[in-house]
């Protein structure tokens, strides 16, 4: 059975940066509080730029990095919960812009687990033989859903997009995903036309209990031990959540790369942005064993094991 292997990565964040010091002028908060409680120092803000425009920029970079032409794509999947366009979906807008005219196009709404969801679907398409080259994108502009008067939520979020190209691998590589789990939870919600509402402590506790659990499950399925994993690429929601997961897995913090300091929580974009940084900084090595894990509103969570 063929699996998809990461052939290329790309990412994009908007130019405008709001540092913690900028937020001190909007709400009663401080750089010290935000850094200590979350690890965040700044976030990028989309402004007029749409989710689709960010997605296109990340997609072009991923295609170039993979050395694949857009017409070779069989499928485009976009994980997003903040697209300005209800229809056409963001994947269709990307398809049109990059000229991927053979590709089927779908959006998946799974909040911060959006990239994990499209990653699993992309692998399933490849395993079924229905697709050879798949473009997977996570793109969000949660700055538009955040209430910039609510210090309990607005400090967390930033905007951006990340993308990977998966191609069917001739040689067999090991890959498995733990199906995305879903449980109705009201600790993080956003009704149309309103701002997102969150019980931060409840989300924090949910992540600390479910993420280590689902990672252990996916590792058992892959017949791998925690010690054999080279990097755990987690959704960047809060640096303390990442530390807590590392502790529960008894894995060194150094194996948990992070970029939350520069971007905040970019929702579905955080994992592919981090994968792109991992790749472009030269840290990615062929055969490396990687675990991905996403978690967030729904509540939805999941994990995947892959070999680079
Ligand atoms: N600046 C200063 N003080 C603040 C701020 C702020 N920005 N926000 C809250 N406080 C105050 C509170 O009012 C409270 O004051 P009090 O003790 O006088 O009542 C105190 O700080 C502690 O508040 P807590 O909410 O208990 O702080 P906590 O340590 O839990 O940190 C946080 C809050 C950062 C939101 C944390 O709970 C968290 O990160 N939770 C996870 C949230 C998350 O990751 N959400 C996204 C999920 S992904 C998705 O699907 C979108």
């Amino acid at each position: 059975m063929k699996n998809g292997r990461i052939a290329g990565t790309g990412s994009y964040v908007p130019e405008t940066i709001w540092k913690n010091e900028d937020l001190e002028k909007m709400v009663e908060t401080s750089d010290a509080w935000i850094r200590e409680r979350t690890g965040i120092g700044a976030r990028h803000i989309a402004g007029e730029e749409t989710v689709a425009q960010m997605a296109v920029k990340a997609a072009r970079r991923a295609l170039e990095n993979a050395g694949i032409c857009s017409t070779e794509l069989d499928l485009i999947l976009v994980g997003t919960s903040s697209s300005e366009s209800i229809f056409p979906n963001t994947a269709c807008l990307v398809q049109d812009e990059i000229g991927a005219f053979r590709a089927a196009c779908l959006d998946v709404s799974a909040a911060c687990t959006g990239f994990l969801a499209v990653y699993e679907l992309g692998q399933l398409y490849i395993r079924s033989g229905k697709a050879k080259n798949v473009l997977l994108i996570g793109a969000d502009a949660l700055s538009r859903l955040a209430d910039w008067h609510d210090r309990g939520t607005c400090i967390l979020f930033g905007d951006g997009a990340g993308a990977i190209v998966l191609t069917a691998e001739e040689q067999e590589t090991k890959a498995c995903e733990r199906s995305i789990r879903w449980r109705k939870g009201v600790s993080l919600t956003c009704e149309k036309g309103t701002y997102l509402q969150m019980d931060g402590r409840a989300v924090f506790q949910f992540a600390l209990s479910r993420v280590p659990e689902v990672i252990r499950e996916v590792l058992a399925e892959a017949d791998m031990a925690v010690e054999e994993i080279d990097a755990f690429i987690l959704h960047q929601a809060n640096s303390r959540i990442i530390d807590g997961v590392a502790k529960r897995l008894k894995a060194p913090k150094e194996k948990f790369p992070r970029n939350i300091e520069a971007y905040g929580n970019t929702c579905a974009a955080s994992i592919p942005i981090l994968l792109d940084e991992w790749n472009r900084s030269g840290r990615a090595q062929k055969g490396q064993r990687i675990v991905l894990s996403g978690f967030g509103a729904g509540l939805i969570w999941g994990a995947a094991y892959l070999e680079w």
Side-chain angles (χ1 to χ4, degrees):
M1 185 173 58
K2 284 178 182 172
N3 282 313
R5 187 191 275 273
I6 298 179
T9 62
S11 61
Y12 171 79
V13 287
E15 270 179 29
T16 303
I17 298 174
W18 286 359
K19 294 186 175 164
N20 291 345
E21 290 79 1
D22 297 314
L23 269 52
E24 287 174 0
K25 295 169 199 148
M26 301 179 194
V27 288
E28 201 184 324
T29 190
S30 67
D31 175 52
W33 192 96
I34 300 172
R35 282 183 186 276
E36 191 200 317
R37 302 289 178 121
T38 70
I40 298 168
R43 68 285 296 143
H44 291 244
I45 302 294
E48 296 295 304
E49 210 163 9
T50 66
V51 168
Q53 286 166 339
M54 295 195 293
V56 165
K57 286 178 179 150
R60 286 205 167 108
R61 289 173 184 174
L63 285 169
E64 193 184 358
N65 186 242
I68 281 179
C69 178
S70 62
T71 52
E72 294 176 81
L73 291 173
D74 305 302
L75 178 68
I76 301 173
L77 299 175
V78 180
T80 184
S81 304
S82 52
S83 174
E84 300 76 12
S85 165
I86 295 171
F87 40 78
N89 66 23
T90 307
C92 285
L93 297 172
V94 172
Q95 183 211 40
D96 187 50
E97 274 297 316
I98 66 174
F101 300 117
R102 286 179 51 245
C105 302
L106 291 175
D107 282 10
V108 174
S109 169
C112 296
T113 318
F115 185 76
L116 245 291
V118 296
Y119 177 81
E120 180 169 21
L121 285 173
Q123 287 286 15
L124 292 174
Y125 264 82
I126 286 174
R127 282 185 202 128
S128 76
K130 272 192 101 170
K132 184 168 178 283
N133 296 314
V134 174
L135 175 63
L136 304 176
I137 302 171
D140 267 307
L142 255 53
S143 67
R144 302 222 179 88
L145 305 182
D147 177 355
W148 292 96
H149 297 100
D150 175 13
R151 68 177 183 171
T153 54
C154 73
I155 53 134
L156 295 173
F157 300 105
D159 305 334
I164 67 170
V165 176
L166 275 189
T167 56
E169 175 70 22
E170 294 304 330
Q171 284 177 337
E172 280 212 354
T173 54
K174 205 187 260 187
C176 60
E177 304 79 39
R178 210 56 206 163
S179 290
I180 300 305
R181 307 284 174 75
W182 182 87
R183 179 164 54 89
K184 185 173 178 296
V186 291
S187 44
L188 182 46
T189 57
C190 188
E191 302 285 331
K192 262 202 172 77
T194 65
Y195 295 121
L196 66 84
Q197 305 285 328
M198 183 182 75
D199 176 346
R201 282 188 193 179
V203 176
F204 198 96
Q205 289 309 322
F206 145 73
L208 281 190
S209 70
R210 294 302 185 181
V211 174
E213 181 185 82
V214 76
I215 288 177
R216 284 191 196 285
E217 285 175 24
V218 83
L219 288 180
E221 198 173 319
D223 198 19
M224 285 286 156
V226 167
E227 302 75 47
E228 293 177 280
I229 301 305
D230 296 300
F232 296 84
I233 309 245
L234 265 49
H235 168 51
Q236 305 285 293
N238 185 318
S239 213
R240 288 191 298 137
I241 292 178
I242 300 171
D243 289 344
V245 171
K247 193 172 168 196
R248 280 161 177 75
L249 289 173
K250 299 189 174 62
K253 282 185 200 175
E254 296 69 40
K255 285 194 176 180
F256 291 72
R258 50 193 100 187
N259 58 15
I260 190 166
E261 204 270 339
Y263 304 126
N265 177 347
T266 56
C267 202
S270 78
I271 291 174
I273 291 175
L274 199 49
L275 281 172
D276 187 40
E277 290 185 353
W278 185 256
N279 183 23
R280 286 173 196 263
S281 63
R283 283 173 288 173
Q285 307 285 328
K286 201 167 162 70
Q288 220 166 31
R289 295 158 177 165
I290 307 274
V291 165
L292 311 179
S293 182
F295 50 92
L299 302 166
I300 309 174
W301 66 100
Y305 168 82
L306 63 95
E307 291 171 6
W308 197 281

